[in-house]
Amino acid sequence: DYYTDAATYAENQAQVYADGRYEWESVWHGGMQRKLCGELALGYLRRNYTQLREHGCLPDGAYLDVFSVVELDECAHPMHRMTRRECLARRCECFDYVRSLGMVVSSEEPIDGMVSHLELVHHAPDFWGKMRGIAVPLFALVYHDSLFIPSYLGRGEGCPREHAGFLYALMQGNLPYLSLHADG
């Protein structure tokens, strides 16, 4: 998200599609936004964490929202062209930078090209929607020793509606998500 009312906003840093279009959104509370070209993300990440350290804020971890779940971008801006392969590399560089600061690295949902750059994710592909066949939790099974994946514990949360999420968490060896009002 690259907010147009930010003091550092510069249109020439926004992602540009091959046909010359910019994407406009106003989904989040920050207001109107475009997408920052991924070629430039590491510079902003370095700036932000340098400023945090200068103000005495030393977080233990960072959640780079949607870096590992949304499609890989391309950018056609002549000053910072980027392919999807380069986008993957830039996002991984951002994860690695966070790790170099001694922080736990997290993002939304894993894709295999990013697993070795993450410690944990918000969720993994699971049993949302209508299933056909037998669902196999590949990320939890294949990457079990290299990625922490939390599970919801309630009925129908991240599993078929009639099943208990707690059992899926046990079966997959996942961390449990607890509500703010957990009673047990």
Side-chain angles (χ1 to χ4, degrees):
D1 302 332
Y2 191 42
Y3 293 100
T4 59
D5 63 354
T8 56
Y9 177 80
E11 188 165 298
N12 67 355
Q13 294 185 9
Q15 175 192 357
V16 178
Y17 291 105
D19 63 4
R21 286 181 304 113
Y22 291 91
E23 184 172 335
W24 284 99
E25 291 182 356
S26 184
V27 177
W28 310 116
H29 295 292
M32 289 301 295
Q33 73 223 35
R34 290 190 169 159
K35 285 185 177 179
L36 174 70
C37 178
E39 277 289 333
L40 308 171
L42 183 58
Y44 279 94
L45 193 65
R46 286 181 192 277
R47 179 206 65 184
N48 291 348
Y49 280 98
T50 297
Q51 289 179 359
L52 285 170
R53 282 194 313 272
E54 288 171 355
H55 287 91
C57 182
L58 304 169
D60 293 330
Y63 178 74
L64 301 183
D65 193 16
V66 307
F67 268 47
S68 66
V69 71
V70 297
E71 66 278 353
L72 298 171
D73 299 320
E74 293 178 330
C75 184
H77 195 288
M79 291 172 57
H80 45 79
R81 292 186 188 280
M82 182 184 65
T83 65
R84 286 186 294 249
R85 182 184 304 266
E86 291 166 334
C87 180
L88 174 64
R90 298 299 86 77
R91 290 182 188 180
C92 290
E93 286 172 1
C94 289
F95 293 141
D96 293 344
Y97 173 70
V98 169
R99 181 178 284 140
S100 78
L101 298 176
M103 293 192 280
V104 173
V105 184
S106 178
S107 194
E108 191 158 350
E109 185 172 299
I111 60 173
D112 63 351
M114 295 181 181
V115 169
S116 64
H117 302 271
L118 295 165
E119 272 79 54
L120 62 108
V121 291
H122 174 49
H123 54 86
D126 51 26
F127 310 104
W128 298 99
K130 189 173 183 175
M131 290 192 315
R132 292 180 184 212
I134 298 171
V136 178
L138 287 177
F139 276 95
L141 297 174
V142 174
Y143 296 114
H144 184 268
D145 292 336
S146 60
L147 186 66
F148 290 108
I149 302 170
S151 287
Y152 294 97
L153 302 181
R155 217 163 257 296
E157 296 181 275
C159 63
R161 187 171 293 131
E162 65 277 6
H163 296 172
F166 175 74
L167 295 177
Y168 278 81
L170 284 177
M171 177 180 71
Q172 297 171 26
N174 291 351
L175 300 168
Y177 259 127
L178 298 176
S179 79
L180 292 175
H181 308 291
D183 58 359

